[in-house]
Amino acid sequence: MYREATKYGVNLDQFQKTPLNPDFHTAMKRTVSAMTSALSGLPFDDFRRLVATMPRADGEAVVAVRARNACLTKPLGSLGRLEELAEWLAAWQGQARPTVRKPMVCIFAGSHGVALKGVSAFPVEVNHQMVANFSAGGAAINQLCTSFNFGLKVFELALEQPTPDITETDAFSEAECAATMAFGMEAVSAGMDLLMIGEMGIGNTTVAAAIYHALYGGEAADWIGRGTGVDDAGLERKRAAVAAAVARLGEGRRDGFEVLRRVGGREIAAMVGAIIAARHQRIPVVADGYVVTSAVAILHAIDPSAVDHVVIGHASVEGAHRDVIARLGKAPIVDLGFRLGEATGAAVAGAIVRAAADTHNGMATFTEAGVSDKG
């Protein structure tokens, strides 16, 4: 397992070594230049340009997959979602024979000031302890990655410096938020062909609930759940924290990046960046559960097509996750009652995505197998 720590570190050399489309590279150079030179400006503008210049689905690859699928030794449609996933992979990898040979799980770990409001059943020390557990190979995700032969990277995002308490002030300045998204972009390495995204951070289900409440309205209670297992008193503290955080934003339409900046967290900002980078590098993405989906929701609020290359790995039992998935126009790959986080649901779903590719590529056609078609 690879483990990396940062405090908003941005390494432009990695972008120079990675084959990206020119608009993406140019925009990132401007963003990094603005951040590292501490110039005044609007770093979000460059991220908006990155969203606007995202590559589209490869229609020719989808046509090729459908044509081959129609000839495989099975009734058309008999493998259900696996057939859909093979088309989705082809569309976003841009190749007629989609493959999953270099799958990678990336976990982003962040620390939140709002956790001190008693919104979680576990203390903030668990952040460092769980990252150490990932490194030692003792977490659930380690076992799944071993079982499925997936790569695993864990990224710490200044765990010793929690973001400010979002009930009282904004989580970031615009430059800080942009820098954290840029770091998430760096996490996406050339050569990956499937990215599974997860997170870890005590208090981050409260932060995700605040993002959903800010984007979708309703009452704070509509979006919260028990997270790591808070009791009734903790659940009420969580509801109050989400309500207070969103009340600071005032009325009116809320921009996705501004919602992220004001009530988000470092791991969520980094995941937004990773999703953007994956799209520009034609890497399909499997998102984990409740918290990771908040990063998907941020981009969806900016442009719904910006997350067409993302599938939701699983339906969490946390909060209103199923409601959010429906608002995104997506369907989870699995529904196993998970609520752990750390990319466990994404990994299980990723194994199914790989099965979809392997089945499509490995099956014989009716002609190859000498099997009579239905005629």
Side-chain angles (χ1 to χ4, degrees), residues 350-368:
I352 293 173
V353 172
R354 182 168 58 190
D358 289 346
T359 302
H360 178 82
N361 290 323
M363 284 187 70
T365 65
F366 284 102
T367 299
E368 290 167 345

Side-chain angles (χ1 to χ4, degrees), residues 6 36 53 90 114 190 192 209 245 266 304 321 326 329 341:
T6 185
T36 55
T53 57
V114 73
M192 296 180 187
R266 291 193 187 105
H321 191 221

Side-chain angles (χ1 to χ4, degrees), residues 30-310:
R30 283 197 301 267
T31 299
V32 174
S33 175
M35 291 185 293
T36 55
S37 61
L39 297 174
S40 61
L42 298 172
F44 284 164
D45 289 348
D46 286 312
F47 284 93
R48 295 185 203 285
R49 281 189 283 271
L50 290 174
V51 171
T53 57
M54 284 178 165
R56 301 302 174 185
D58 188 327
E60 292 183 2
V62 172
V63 169
V65 166
R66 288 177 180 170
R68 175 173 168 76
N69 189 44
C71 300
L72 297 178
T73 49
K74 61 179 178 59
L76 186 62
S78 59
L79 284 177
R81 188 78 185 272
L82 290 188
E83 297 179 22
E84 297 173 11
L85 290 170
E87 289 185 13
W88 169 77
L89 275 174
W92 296 109
Q93 289 181 346
Q95 54 189 29
R97 299 290 287 268
T99 61
V100 179
R101 294 290 177 263
K102 296 181 179 178
M104 182 64 67
V105 172
C106 288
I107 299 175
F108 298 89
S111 184
H112 303 271
V114 73
L116 297 180
K117 284 287 199 293
V119 296
S120 174
F122 286 84
V124 294
E125 291 81 7
V126 169
N127 289 329
H128 287 285
Q129 293 163 358
M130 278 304 301
V131 168
N133 193 31
F134 295 144
S135 297
I141 188 58
N142 297 99
Q143 317 324 311
L144 292 173
C145 286
T146 297
S147 179
F148 300 141
N149 195 27
F150 289 165
L152 175 60
K153 295 184 180 182
V154 178
F155 297 90
E156 296 180 37
L157 292 116
L159 291 182
E160 72 284 1
Q161 296 180 354
T163 48
D165 181 348
I166 59 171
T167 67
E168 300 174 0
T169 190
D170 295 338
F172 306 97
S173 69
E174 184 167 333
E176 289 170 338
C177 188
T180 310
M181 287 192 285
F183 176 75
M185 296 176 75
E186 285 194 88
V188 181
S189 304
M192 296 180 187
D193 54 17
L194 183 69
L195 173 61
M196 293 153 282
I197 300 179
E199 47 63 42
M200 202 287 302
I202 297 301
N204 67 7
T205 59
T206 300
V207 172
I211 289 172
Y212 296 139
H213 184 25
L215 291 177
Y216 303 134
E219 301 296 327
D222 297 337
W223 305 105
I224 63 171
R226 294 189 182 272
T228 52
V230 292
D231 58 16
D232 288 346
L235 191 65
E236 173 55 28
R237 290 191 294 270
K238 190 172 188 177
R239 185 209 62 77
V242 170
V246 175
R248 290 192 307 101
L249 306 186
E251 300 297 327
R253 183 182 178 278
R254 289 164 179 161
D255 172 77
F257 284 141
E258 275 296 298
V259 168
L260 174 63
R261 180 184 76 80
R262 300 195 67 186
V263 300
R266 291 193 187 105
E267 74 273 54
I268 297 172
M271 291 188 293
V272 169
I275 292 168
I276 293 172
R279 177 68 163 264
H280 278 275
Q281 297 188 52
R282 286 203 166 278
I283 302 169
V285 174
V286 182
D288 198 42
Y290 182 81
V291 176
V292 179
T293 303
S294 71
V296 180
I298 291 293
L299 284 170
H300 184 269
I302 294 164
D303 178 354
S305 70
V307 293
D308 285 350
H309 65 304
V310 179

